[in-house]
Amino acid sequence: MSSKAFTVFISLSALTSSWTGARTIYPLYDAFALAALAMLVYFWLARLVVLRIPFWVVLPSFVAIALAPIGAILAEVPGVALGSAIGFASRIVFTTAVPAVLILVQAQLSRRRLRWIAGAWVAGVTLNAFVALLTSVELVNVEGIVEGTTGERAFGLAAHPNTLSLSVALACPVLVTLFLMRGRHVLVRLLSLAGLLLAVNALFTADSRAGLVVGLPALLVSFLVIAFREWRGGFALLLVPLIAIAVIMLAPVVFFQSRLSVNLTRDLSYIRRAELAGAGIETWAQSPIFGTGLTSASGVSVPLLLLSAGGVVLLAAYYTFPLALLSRVRGVPVSWRAAFVLMLLAVLVFGLLNNGYAERVSFWFPLCLVAAYPRVSNRDLSRLKRIT
Protein backbone atom coordinates (compact mmCIF):
# COMPACT_ATOMS: atom_id res chain seq x y z
CA MET A 1 0.00 0.00 0.00
CA SER A 2 2.86 2.38 0.82
CA SER A 3 4.52 1.86 -2.56
CA LYS A 4 1.18 2.35 -4.35
CA ALA A 5 0.55 5.59 -2.44
CA PHE A 6 4.06 6.69 -3.38
CA THR A 7 3.24 6.09 -7.06
CA VAL A 8 -0.05 7.97 -6.72
CA PHE A 9 1.65 11.06 -5.29
CA ILE A 10 4.31 11.02 -8.02
CA SER A 11 1.62 10.58 -10.68
CA LEU A 12 -0.36 13.51 -9.27
CA SER A 13 2.81 15.60 -9.29
CA ALA A 14 3.45 14.67 -12.94
CA LEU A 15 -0.20 15.35 -13.80
CA THR A 16 0.00 18.90 -12.41
CA SER A 17 3.57 19.69 -13.51
CA SER A 18 2.37 21.89 -16.37
CA TRP A 19 -0.23 23.63 -14.20
CA THR A 20 2.32 25.92 -12.59
CA GLY A 21 -0.31 28.61 -12.11
CA ALA A 22 -3.05 26.37 -10.73
CA ARG A 23 -2.75 27.34 -7.09
CA THR A 24 -4.95 26.78 -4.10
CA ILE A 25 -3.14 27.30 -0.79
CA TYR A 26 0.06 25.94 -2.35
CA PRO A 27 1.15 25.08 -5.91
CA LEU A 28 -0.33 21.66 -6.66
CA TYR A 29 2.80 20.23 -8.25
CA ASP A 30 5.00 21.17 -5.29
CA ALA A 31 2.47 19.90 -2.75
CA PHE A 32 2.24 16.44 -4.35
CA ALA A 33 6.02 16.30 -4.85
CA LEU A 34 6.60 17.14 -1.17
CA ALA A 35 4.14 14.41 -0.18
CA ALA A 36 6.07 11.89 -2.30
CA LEU A 37 9.35 13.08 -0.78
CA ALA A 38 7.90 12.58 2.69
CA MET A 39 7.04 8.99 1.77
CA LEU A 40 10.57 8.54 0.42
CA VAL A 41 11.94 9.57 3.81
CA TYR A 42 9.66 6.95 5.38
CA PHE A 43 11.02 4.27 3.00
CA TRP A 44 14.55 5.28 3.95
CA LEU A 45 13.85 5.23 7.68
CA ALA A 46 12.09 1.86 7.32
CA ARG A 47 15.18 0.55 5.48
CA LEU A 48 13.18 -0.25 2.34
CA VAL A 49 15.65 1.66 0.18
CA VAL A 50 19.23 2.80 0.45
CA LEU A 51 19.66 6.21 -1.14
CA ARG A 52 22.85 6.93 -3.02
CA ILE A 53 21.74 9.56 -5.51
CA PRO A 54 23.77 9.87 -8.76
CA PHE A 55 25.76 13.11 -8.76
CA TRP A 56 24.31 14.43 -12.03
CA VAL A 57 20.87 14.47 -10.42
CA VAL A 58 21.79 16.88 -7.64
CA LEU A 59 24.57 18.89 -9.30
CA PRO A 60 22.39 21.82 -10.52
CA SER A 61 20.65 22.03 -7.14
CA PHE A 62 23.90 21.78 -5.17
CA VAL A 63 25.55 24.58 -7.16
CA ALA A 64 22.46 26.83 -7.00
CA ILE A 65 22.15 26.40 -3.23
CA ALA A 66 25.89 27.01 -2.78
CA LEU A 67 25.68 30.22 -4.82
CA ALA A 68 22.53 31.52 -3.08
CA PRO A 69 24.35 33.60 -0.42
CA ILE A 70 26.53 35.33 -3.04
CA GLY A 71 25.10 38.78 -3.75
CA ALA A 72 22.43 38.41 -1.08
CA ILE A 73 24.86 39.07 1.78
CA LEU A 74 26.03 42.36 0.29
CA ALA A 75 22.56 43.49 -0.75
CA GLU A 76 20.86 46.51 0.82
CA VAL A 77 18.23 44.22 2.35
CA PRO A 78 20.13 40.94 2.92
CA GLY A 79 17.20 38.98 4.33
CA VAL A 80 14.89 39.76 1.40
CA ALA A 81 17.66 39.15 -1.11
CA LEU A 82 18.57 35.81 0.46
CA GLY A 83 14.91 34.79 0.38
CA SER A 84 14.73 35.56 -3.35
CA ALA A 85 17.95 33.62 -3.93
CA ILE A 86 16.59 30.61 -2.04
CA GLY A 87 13.43 30.83 -4.18
CA PHE A 88 15.56 30.79 -7.34
CA ALA A 89 17.50 27.76 -6.08
CA SER A 90 14.35 25.92 -4.98
CA ARG A 91 12.86 26.26 -8.45
CA ILE A 92 15.91 24.52 -9.89
CA VAL A 93 15.59 21.80 -7.22
CA PHE A 94 11.92 21.16 -8.06
CA THR A 95 12.65 21.17 -11.80
CA THR A 96 15.59 18.77 -11.83
CA ALA A 97 16.50 16.92 -8.62
CA VAL A 98 13.00 16.26 -7.26
CA PRO A 99 11.49 14.51 -10.31
CA ALA A 100 14.74 12.63 -10.99
CA VAL A 101 15.02 11.26 -7.43
CA LEU A 102 11.34 10.29 -7.30
CA ILE A 103 11.43 8.54 -10.67
CA LEU A 104 14.67 6.67 -9.97
CA VAL A 105 13.26 5.39 -6.69
CA GLN A 106 9.99 4.47 -8.43
CA ALA A 107 11.96 2.52 -11.04
CA GLN A 108 13.67 0.68 -8.20
CA LEU A 109 10.34 -0.22 -6.58
CA SER A 110 8.37 -0.95 -9.77
CA ARG A 111 9.34 -0.08 -13.34
CA ARG A 112 5.89 -1.09 -14.52
CA ARG A 113 4.32 1.80 -12.63
CA LEU A 114 6.46 4.29 -14.52
CA ARG A 115 3.83 3.97 -17.23
CA TRP A 116 1.26 5.41 -14.81
CA ILE A 117 3.51 8.40 -14.17
CA ALA A 118 4.30 8.95 -17.85
CA GLY A 119 0.60 8.64 -18.69
CA ALA A 120 -0.29 11.11 -15.95
CA TRP A 121 2.18 13.62 -17.42
CA VAL A 122 0.65 13.29 -20.90
CA ALA A 123 -2.86 13.53 -19.46
CA GLY A 124 -1.94 16.67 -17.51
CA VAL A 125 -0.53 18.44 -20.55
CA THR A 126 -3.53 17.42 -22.66
CA LEU A 127 -5.98 18.59 -19.98
CA ASN A 128 -4.12 21.89 -19.81
CA ALA A 129 -4.51 22.27 -23.58
CA PHE A 130 -8.21 21.34 -23.31
CA VAL A 131 -8.81 24.03 -20.69
CA ALA A 132 -7.01 26.49 -23.00
CA LEU A 133 -9.48 25.57 -25.76
CA LEU A 134 -12.48 26.05 -23.46
CA THR A 135 -11.23 29.42 -22.22
CA SER A 136 -10.41 30.62 -25.75
CA VAL A 137 -14.05 30.05 -26.82
CA GLU A 138 -15.27 31.50 -23.48
CA LEU A 139 -16.96 28.31 -22.27
CA VAL A 140 -14.86 28.29 -19.09
CA ASN A 141 -13.49 31.10 -16.94
CA VAL A 142 -10.54 30.19 -14.71
CA GLU A 143 -9.94 33.63 -13.26
CA GLY A 144 -9.89 33.41 -9.49
CA ILE A 145 -8.89 29.74 -9.69
CA VAL A 146 -5.64 30.07 -11.64
CA GLU A 147 -3.04 32.70 -10.86
CA GLY A 148 -2.10 33.21 -14.49
CA THR A 149 -1.59 35.96 -16.99
CA THR A 150 -4.93 37.22 -18.25
CA GLY A 151 -5.67 38.73 -21.62
CA GLU A 152 -6.45 37.47 -25.09
CA ARG A 153 -3.71 34.83 -25.10
CA ALA A 154 -4.79 31.43 -23.74
CA PHE A 155 -2.82 29.92 -20.89
CA GLY A 156 -5.05 27.07 -19.73
CA LEU A 157 -4.13 26.09 -16.19
CA ALA A 158 -0.57 27.41 -16.51
CA ALA A 159 0.94 30.56 -15.08
CA HIS A 160 1.71 32.01 -18.50
CA PRO A 161 1.02 31.28 -22.20
CA ASN A 162 4.71 30.42 -22.65
CA THR A 163 4.40 27.68 -20.02
CA LEU A 164 1.41 26.22 -21.85
CA SER A 165 3.31 26.39 -25.14
CA LEU A 166 6.39 24.64 -23.76
CA SER A 167 4.34 21.83 -22.24
CA VAL A 168 2.43 21.07 -25.45
CA ALA A 169 5.62 21.39 -27.54
CA LEU A 170 7.21 18.72 -25.35
CA ALA A 171 4.11 16.53 -25.56
CA CYS A 172 3.95 16.61 -29.38
CA PRO A 173 6.72 14.01 -29.98
CA VAL A 174 5.14 11.73 -27.36
CA LEU A 175 1.65 12.01 -28.81
CA VAL A 176 2.95 11.43 -32.36
CA THR A 177 4.82 8.31 -31.20
CA LEU A 178 1.71 6.96 -29.47
CA PHE A 179 -0.33 7.68 -32.61
CA LEU A 180 2.06 6.11 -35.14
CA MET A 181 3.84 3.36 -33.21
CA ARG A 182 2.91 -0.14 -34.30
CA GLY A 183 0.92 -2.34 -31.94
CA ARG A 184 -0.96 0.49 -30.27
CA HIS A 185 -4.62 -0.02 -29.39
CA VAL A 186 -7.16 1.90 -31.46
CA LEU A 187 -8.32 3.80 -28.38
CA VAL A 188 -4.75 4.91 -27.66
CA ARG A 189 -4.41 6.17 -31.24
CA LEU A 190 -7.68 8.09 -31.06
CA LEU A 191 -6.80 9.68 -27.74
CA SER A 192 -3.35 10.58 -29.06
CA LEU A 193 -4.88 12.19 -32.15
CA ALA A 194 -7.26 14.19 -29.96
CA GLY A 195 -4.30 15.26 -27.84
CA LEU A 196 -2.39 16.38 -30.94
CA LEU A 197 -5.31 18.49 -32.14
CA LEU A 198 -5.59 20.10 -28.70
CA ALA A 199 -1.83 20.71 -28.65
CA VAL A 200 -1.85 22.46 -32.03
CA ASN A 201 -4.82 24.60 -30.97
CA ALA A 202 -2.99 25.52 -27.75
CA LEU A 203 0.10 26.59 -29.69
CA PHE A 204 -2.00 29.01 -31.74
CA THR A 205 -4.28 30.31 -28.98
CA ALA A 206 -1.36 30.84 -26.58
CA ASP A 207 0.32 32.82 -29.38
CA SER A 208 3.77 32.28 -27.92
CA ARG A 209 6.42 33.05 -30.49
CA ALA A 210 8.81 30.56 -28.92
CA GLY A 211 6.00 28.01 -28.76
CA LEU A 212 5.32 28.30 -32.48
CA VAL A 213 9.00 28.30 -33.40
CA VAL A 214 9.66 25.20 -31.27
CA GLY A 215 6.31 23.37 -31.17
CA LEU A 216 5.36 23.23 -34.84
CA PRO A 217 8.78 21.98 -36.04
CA ALA A 218 8.78 19.41 -33.20
CA LEU A 219 5.39 18.20 -34.41
CA LEU A 220 6.40 17.98 -38.09
CA VAL A 221 9.79 16.39 -37.47
CA SER A 222 8.19 13.87 -35.12
CA PHE A 223 5.76 12.78 -37.82
CA LEU A 224 8.57 12.33 -40.34
CA VAL A 225 10.98 10.51 -38.04
CA ILE A 226 8.46 8.22 -36.35
CA ALA A 227 6.62 7.44 -39.59
CA PHE A 228 9.86 6.44 -41.34
CA ARG A 229 10.75 4.28 -38.36
CA GLU A 230 7.38 2.60 -37.85
CA TRP A 231 5.80 2.65 -41.33
CA ARG A 232 8.51 1.97 -43.86
CA GLY A 233 7.53 2.32 -47.52
CA GLY A 234 4.84 4.25 -49.33
CA PHE A 235 3.03 5.70 -46.33
CA ALA A 236 6.19 7.22 -44.89
CA LEU A 237 7.35 8.54 -48.26
CA LEU A 238 3.94 10.09 -48.86
CA LEU A 239 4.33 12.15 -45.69
CA VAL A 240 7.25 14.15 -47.11
CA PRO A 241 5.35 15.91 -49.92
CA LEU A 242 2.23 16.24 -47.74
CA ILE A 243 4.17 17.96 -44.95
CA ALA A 244 6.03 20.12 -47.50
CA ILE A 245 2.70 21.26 -49.00
CA ALA A 246 1.26 21.90 -45.53
CA VAL A 247 4.30 24.01 -44.58
CA ILE A 248 4.12 26.06 -47.79
CA MET A 249 0.39 26.70 -47.34
CA LEU A 250 0.33 27.29 -43.60
CA ALA A 251 3.63 29.11 -43.00
CA PRO A 252 2.31 32.50 -44.22
CA VAL A 253 -0.84 32.06 -42.11
CA VAL A 254 1.19 31.17 -39.01
CA PHE A 255 3.54 34.07 -39.55
CA PHE A 256 1.12 36.86 -40.39
CA GLN A 257 -1.60 35.89 -37.92
CA SER A 258 0.71 35.52 -34.93
CA ARG A 259 3.02 37.76 -32.94
CA LEU A 260 5.91 36.60 -35.14
CA SER A 261 4.98 39.24 -37.71
CA VAL A 262 5.33 42.30 -35.47
CA ASN A 263 7.91 44.98 -36.25
CA LEU A 264 11.07 44.14 -34.31
CA THR A 265 12.00 47.78 -33.89
CA ARG A 266 8.58 48.91 -32.62
CA ASP A 267 7.09 46.01 -30.68
CA LEU A 268 7.39 46.72 -26.95
CA SER A 269 7.97 43.05 -26.16
CA TYR A 270 10.97 42.81 -28.48
CA ILE A 271 12.33 46.12 -27.23
CA ARG A 272 12.01 44.99 -23.61
CA ARG A 273 13.65 41.66 -24.44
CA ALA A 274 16.59 43.43 -26.06
CA GLU A 275 16.99 45.65 -22.98
CA LEU A 276 16.90 42.67 -20.61
CA ALA A 277 19.37 40.75 -22.78
CA GLY A 278 21.77 43.69 -22.66
CA ALA A 279 21.37 43.94 -18.90
CA GLY A 280 22.03 40.23 -18.54
CA ILE A 281 25.24 40.42 -20.55
CA GLU A 282 26.43 43.42 -18.53
CA THR A 283 25.66 41.66 -15.25
CA TRP A 284 27.47 38.50 -16.30
CA ALA A 285 30.50 40.53 -17.41
CA GLN A 286 30.93 41.74 -13.82
CA SER A 287 31.62 38.19 -12.60
CA PRO A 288 31.87 35.63 -15.45
CA ILE A 289 32.78 32.59 -13.34
CA PHE A 290 30.43 32.73 -10.33
CA GLY A 291 27.94 35.41 -11.38
CA THR A 292 26.77 38.25 -9.18
CA GLY A 293 24.18 36.37 -7.12
CA LEU A 294 20.92 34.60 -7.89
CA THR A 295 18.96 37.77 -7.17
CA SER A 296 20.83 39.51 -10.00
CA ALA A 297 19.46 37.19 -12.67
CA SER A 298 18.46 39.14 -15.77
CA GLY A 299 17.66 38.39 -19.38
CA VAL A 300 14.88 36.52 -21.12
CA SER A 301 16.72 33.33 -22.02
CA VAL A 302 17.80 30.49 -19.77
CA PRO A 303 21.54 30.77 -20.58
CA LEU A 304 21.59 34.51 -19.83
CA LEU A 305 19.64 34.09 -16.60
CA LEU A 306 22.00 31.39 -15.40
CA LEU A 307 25.13 33.25 -16.49
CA SER A 308 24.10 36.51 -14.84
CA ALA A 309 23.00 34.74 -11.67
CA GLY A 310 25.70 32.09 -11.23
CA GLY A 311 28.18 32.55 -14.04
CA VAL A 312 29.71 29.74 -16.05
CA VAL A 313 29.59 27.49 -12.97
CA LEU A 314 25.78 27.53 -12.71
CA LEU A 315 25.31 27.30 -16.49
CA ALA A 316 27.54 24.21 -16.71
CA ALA A 317 25.87 22.59 -13.70
CA TYR A 318 22.35 23.17 -15.05
CA TYR A 319 23.05 21.79 -18.53
CA THR A 320 24.81 18.76 -17.05
CA PHE A 321 21.33 17.48 -16.22
CA PRO A 322 19.92 17.17 -19.79
CA LEU A 323 23.30 16.02 -21.12
CA ALA A 324 23.43 13.27 -18.51
CA LEU A 325 19.91 12.24 -19.52
CA LEU A 326 20.96 12.15 -23.16
CA SER A 327 23.86 9.83 -22.34
CA ARG A 328 21.38 7.30 -20.93
CA VAL A 329 19.12 6.99 -23.98
CA ARG A 330 21.05 4.27 -25.82
CA GLY A 331 18.98 1.37 -24.53
CA VAL A 332 15.61 2.97 -25.33
CA PRO A 333 13.74 1.65 -28.43
CA VAL A 334 14.48 3.71 -31.52
CA SER A 335 11.09 5.40 -31.92
CA TRP A 336 10.98 6.46 -28.28
CA ARG A 337 14.64 7.47 -28.54
CA ALA A 338 13.73 9.85 -31.37
CA ALA A 339 10.91 11.34 -29.29
CA PHE A 340 13.29 11.64 -26.33
CA VAL A 341 15.90 13.55 -28.35
CA LEU A 342 13.27 15.84 -29.87
CA MET A 343 11.91 16.65 -26.40
CA LEU A 344 15.35 17.54 -25.05
CA LEU A 345 16.05 19.66 -28.13
CA ALA A 346 12.72 21.43 -27.58
CA VAL A 347 13.71 22.20 -23.97
CA LEU A 348 17.11 23.56 -25.02
CA VAL A 349 15.83 25.66 -27.94
CA PHE A 350 12.86 26.99 -25.98
CA GLY A 351 15.30 28.03 -23.27
CA LEU A 352 17.19 30.17 -25.77
CA LEU A 353 14.01 32.14 -26.41
CA ASN A 354 12.42 32.23 -22.95
CA ASN A 355 13.33 32.20 -19.28
CA GLY A 356 11.88 28.75 -18.56
CA TYR A 357 14.68 27.33 -16.41
CA ALA A 358 12.16 26.53 -13.67
CA GLU A 359 9.31 25.05 -15.72
CA ARG A 360 8.24 21.97 -13.79
CA VAL A 361 7.11 20.19 -16.94
CA SER A 362 10.54 20.00 -18.59
CA PHE A 363 12.05 16.62 -17.70
CA TRP A 364 9.27 14.32 -16.48
CA PHE A 365 8.74 12.19 -19.57
CA PRO A 366 12.43 11.78 -20.53
CA LEU A 367 13.17 10.70 -16.96
CA CYS A 368 10.35 8.13 -17.04
CA LEU A 369 11.58 6.87 -20.40
CA VAL A 370 15.20 6.26 -19.47
CA ALA A 371 14.27 4.79 -16.07
CA ALA A 372 11.87 2.31 -17.71
CA TYR A 373 14.61 0.40 -19.53
CA PRO A 374 17.09 -1.62 -17.44
CA ARG A 375 20.02 -1.24 -19.85
CA VAL A 376 19.84 2.49 -19.45
CA SER A 377 19.12 2.93 -15.79
CA ASN A 378 21.01 0.07 -14.12
CA ARG A 379 24.10 2.17 -13.53
CA ASP A 380 21.95 4.69 -11.64
CA LEU A 381 19.78 2.11 -9.92
CA SER A 382 22.91 0.31 -8.72
CA ARG A 383 23.33 3.30 -6.43
CA LEU A 384 19.75 2.97 -5.21
CA LYS A 385 19.80 -0.64 -4.05
CA ARG A 386 16.77 -2.13 -2.39
CA ILE A 387 17.39 -3.98 0.84
CA THR A 388 16.00 -7.51 0.54
Side-chain angles (χ1 to χ4, degrees), residues 18 125 128-130 132 154-169 202-203 205-206 359:
S18 63
V125 175
N128 198 357
F130 182 58
F155 53 88
L157 293 167
H160 193 276
N162 290 337
T163 303
L164 171 65
S165 297
L166 174 60
S167 66
V168 296
L203 288 174
T205 54
E359 298 295 358

Side-chain angles (χ1 to χ4, degrees), residues 41-124:
V41 172
Y42 162 74
F43 292 151
W44 177 68
L45 292 174
R47 297 181 61 81
L48 297 175
V49 294
V50 175
L51 297 178
R52 297 187 185 94
I53 308 301
F55 186 60
W56 65 271
V57 168
V58 297
L59 180 61
S61 303
F62 175 80
V63 171
I65 292 170
L67 292 175
I70 298 177
I73 295 175
L74 301 177
E76 294 182 2
V77 187
V80 175
L82 183 59
S84 298
I86 292 173
F88 186 107
S90 68
R91 289 192 290 273
I92 290 181
V93 172
F94 275 90
T95 305
T96 57
V98 168
V101 168
L102 294 179
I103 287 171
L104 284 175
V105 173
Q106 179 62 74
Q108 173 192 357
L109 296 174
S110 172
R111 280 197 178 93
R112 180 178 57 85
R113 293 182 191 167
L114 289 171
R115 294 185 179 182
W116 300 2
I117 300 169
W121 180 85
V122 176

Side-chain angles (χ1 to χ4, degrees), residues 109-177:
L109 296 174
S110 172
R111 280 197 178 93
R112 180 178 57 85
R113 293 182 191 167
L114 289 171
R115 294 185 179 182
W116 300 2
I117 300 169
W121 180 85
V122 176
V125 175
T126 305
L127 178 58
N128 198 357
F130 182 58
V131 173
L133 171 64
L134 296 180
T135 56
S136 66
V137 296
E138 299 183 350
L139 288 178
V140 168
N141 187 349
V142 296
E143 291 185 15
I145 302 173
V146 176
E147 292 183 7
T149 302
T150 57
E152 295 182 357
R153 297 170 61 193
F155 53 88
L157 293 167
H160 193 276
N162 290 337
T163 303
L164 171 65
S165 297
L166 174 60
S167 66
V168 296
L170 293 178
C172 281
V174 177
L175 292 168
V176 169
T177 305

Side-chain angles (χ1 to χ4, degrees), residues 208-328:
S208 166
R209 289 164 293 200
L212 292 170
V213 168
V214 174
L216 293 181
L219 177 65
L220 297 177
V221 173
S222 298
F223 262 107
L224 285 174
V225 172
I226 305 303
F228 270 92
R229 173 61 192 169
E230 296 292 329
W231 303 88
R232 302 179 188 275
F235 174 76
L237 292 175
L238 182 62
L239 272 181
V240 176
L242 288 178
I243 288 179
I245 293 171
V247 170
I248 292 172
M249 294 179 63
L250 295 177
V253 177
V254 173
F255 182 80
F256 289 110
Q257 294 189 8
S258 69
R259 295 165 66 234
L260 291 170
S261 62
V262 299
N263 190 316
L264 296 182
T265 61
R266 296 181 180 179
D267 181 67
L268 293 178
S269 176
Y270 279 116
I271 293 172
R272 181 58 178 161
R273 283 172 176 267
E275 292 174 350
L276 289 173
I281 293 172
E282 290 179 4
T283 303
W284 175 47
Q286 297 174 26
S287 179
I289 305 301
F290 295 103
T292 56
L294 303 189
T295 55
S296 301
S298 57
V300 286
S301 69
V302 172
L304 267 181
L305 279 169
L306 298 175
L307 285 170
S308 60
V312 174
V313 172
L314 183 58
L315 181 78
Y318 183 85
Y319 282 109
T320 295
F321 192 91
L323 291 176
L325 270 179
L326 189 61
S327 72
R328 286 154 174 75

Side-chain angles (χ1 to χ4, degrees), residues 29-44:
Y29 165 90
D30 294 349
F32 292 129
L34 286 172
L37 288 173
M39 293 209 68
L40 180 55
V41 172
Y42 162 74
F43 292 151
W44 177 68

